[in-house]
Amino acid sequence: KTFFDILNSDDSALFVGRLVEMHPICVVYMLFTMQESRNAVSSVLQEAVRYVANELSRLDRDALGRLLLVFSKAGVKNPGLFSLVGRECLRRCKLKEGEHSLSPKVLCDLFVAFAGAKIYDEELFEALMVRAVSLFDADV
């Protein structure tokens, strides 16, 4: 068996069984690695997001954007996750520049993820566009 087969196996629950022991950023990067290596399993993604969804405020800006990219690229439907992350992004659009504010890369990731999932949130998109314009004027 390959590494990801063992990691995602229902028998071992090696990854899912230890989610609560992991920092949510680590969980997101594990999901990202699974997706990029084409080893994402829908049930594993859904179980992992149950944990991460309660910890969104602990995610740094890169992990926030990557989380949605993983679901979008994997074709796994989870409109509730997109809604929760959208609300978190609206909150972060108001933050001063820092590790939790939204960077240009994260804005791009969010637009790509929402487009890939075919989810439209007018309020969120407007806030993200305003954030993008404000970054043009900032020295970041």
Side-chain angles (χ1 to χ4, degrees), residues 13-83:
L14 188 60
F15 178 63
V16 172
R18 294 211 160 86
L19 285 172
V20 295
E21 300 171 22
M22 299 171 70
H23 193 283
I25 293 173
C26 180
V27 173
V28 170
Y29 279 90
M30 284 295 294
L31 296 176
F32 179 73
T33 301
M34 289 176 196
Q35 171 54 36
E36 288 298 304
S37 65
R38 293 175 176 55
N39 287 291
V41 176
S42 179
S43 61
V44 171
L45 290 175
Q46 297 290 16
E47 191 60 36
V49 84
R50 281 189 192 93
Y51 165 66
V52 174
N54 295 320
E55 305 287 337
L56 288 179
S57 64
R58 294 179 63 198
L59 295 180
D60 64 5
R61 59 188 179 186
D62 292 325
L64 192 65
R66 283 181 192 237
L67 178 60
L68 291 187
L69 269 181
V70 167
F71 275 78
S72 177
K73 285 183 174 182
V76 175
K77 304 288 183 204
N78 192 326
L81 172 65
F82 279 77
S83 178

